[in-house]
Amino acid sequence: AQDNPYLPEAKLTPESAKVWNVGAGFTQEMIHVNAEWVNPYGIAYAKAGVFIDDDYTAGGQVGFRYPYHLTGKDKNGYYVGVYAGHIDSKSVDNELKAQLGAGVDLAYVLLSKERISSFSIGIGAGEKLEDRNGNVVAETEPRIQFSYTLSIGL
């Protein structure tokens, strides 16, 4: 893989962390469980949970973070990433609907063989939502996303 000039530098080794990790966290207004896959190029993740709203609307996200600048021992450091999935819950025609979107984030990740702890801030945009009369309920505009997850290795 390192011979391919089109791939980024592989910064994570098998000794860095367990390959599979599971945990929980919150992303904006969504409480979720998550699974993380650590590979030589970064951390891929999937989150599934509910928004803290009156109906507990289901939501989920997937994403990937690349280790941009590592600090200290272990593989702690700054990771840059992308994400896609449900970013908010909005009331549309008296019903709560999860808004789809995508974005980029910057995370500080504490990574060891036992656990992954991630704090991130991202910016993204969601789909435009309209009610049955064509009134715009949610515009496609930039929005900040905060996230924290804690996972343990399997």
Side-chain angles (χ1 to χ4, degrees), residues 56-78:
Y56 297 102
T57 308
Q61 284 187 1
V62 295
F64 181 81
R65 292 189 179 122
Y66 176 76
Y68 178 72
H69 178 72
L70 300 176
T71 60
K73 65 177 201 143
D74 295 331
K75 295 297 180 176
N76 301 340
Y78 297 95

Side-chain angles (χ1 to χ4, degrees), residues 32-124:
H32 55 76
V33 294
N34 53 279
E36 299 184 74
W37 171 49
V38 178
N39 63 74
Y41 300 101
I43 303 169
Y45 61 87
K47 304 173 182 178
V50 295
F51 285 95
I52 306 169
D53 57 25
D54 292 338
D55 286 346
Y56 297 102
T57 308
Q61 284 187 1
V62 295
F64 181 81
R65 292 189 179 122
Y66 176 76
Y68 178 72
H69 178 72
L70 300 176
T71 60
K73 65 177 201 143
D74 295 331
K75 295 297 180 176
N76 301 340
Y78 297 95
Y79 288 57
V80 293
V82 295
Y83 62 88
H86 300 106
I87 61 167
D88 203 358
S89 170
K90 296 284 186 184
S91 179
V92 179
D93 296 324
N94 297 319
E95 192 177 309
L96 287 166
K97 180 175 179 184
Q99 182 183 25
L100 289 171
V104 296
D105 69 4
L106 175 65
Y108 190 81
V109 177
L110 299 164
L111 181 72
S112 75
K113 204 62 162 148
E114 297 80 33
R115 54 99 190 105
I116 302 173
S117 183
S118 304
F119 303 89
S120 74
I121 182 168
I123 187 161

